[in-house]
Amino acid sequence: IDYIMNIIVDDEYLWLCTTNGCYEYKNGKLSAEYFKKFGITCMLKDREGNLWFSTLNESVFMMPANHKMMTNYNSSSGLSQEKIYSIATGSNGSLWLGYNNGAVDEIRGTQKKTYKLQGPPGAQPFIRVTSLLADSGVTWCGTDNRIFFIKNGKVSFLPLSKNMKVYAIKRLLMNHAHVIFATFSYGFIEVHSDGKSYHYEQESDSL
């Protein structure tokens, strides 16, 4: 049985990222299948129409808009490791990759910079960077138990109340007004633009 790891929607397209490949639907009908037998954690379409697929053990693949060839970028290409959980693109064309050890790579052309996400002293340890979202010069990072953001080359985290239980961030989302939302098992957080305050909604059922 395929386990759905991510769902991506873009206009009339929908992609199901699963432990057994990625399934593409157009207007509700299956239109393509990619990477059968590969665990696909996330995918995105960039400004040029290229498709990027992050995987559990094979790093990241890029399929150009013309679908004529496939390129695999991995640790031999300079990436931090093979297991990638999240992927995003910035407005400047940069590519962001989130790993299972708290590392985030920013790639611009042939240059790579790696950021290490670390919470406050005594914070519960985490492993996965579960979701990435880049907007207006800020890259938001959802992890197993905290929300981080990278701005001007500096890593910061959203200061949450000690009484607030936040489980693994499922997904980072942005609406048309560029407001950031982070969803998790029992609610969601609306993150304010200052990166210091937020609005928290707890739900009785899992999101």
Side-chain angles (χ1 to χ4, degrees), residues 86-134:
S86 49
I87 184 170
T89 54
S91 58
N92 59 2
S94 58
L95 180 71
W96 294 83
L97 302 173
Y99 299 92
N100 72 330
N101 62 351
V104 176
D105 280 350
E106 177 191 12
I107 301 170
R108 295 191 191 185
T110 60
Q111 302 298 314
K112 185 197 79 169
K113 184 174 182 179
T114 301
Y115 300 90
K116 190 69 174 179
L117 308 184
Q118 295 180 332
Q124 187 177 15
F126 64 91
I127 299 175
R128 301 169 301 160
V129 181
T130 57
S131 186
L132 290 169
L133 194 156

Side-chain angles (χ1 to χ4, degrees), residues 52 58-62 70-82 84 95 97 99 105-114:
W52 295 82
E58 304 292 336
S59 289
V60 63
F61 290 88
M62 190 275 285
M70 188 80 66
T71 303
N72 177 224
Y73 300 97
N74 50 39
S75 56
S76 298
S77 310
L79 301 186
S80 291
Q81 59 161 287
E82 309 296 313
I84 302 175
L95 180 71
L97 302 173
Y99 299 92
D105 280 350
E106 177 191 12
I107 301 170
R108 295 191 191 185
T110 60
Q111 302 298 314
K112 185 197 79 169
K113 184 174 182 179
T114 301

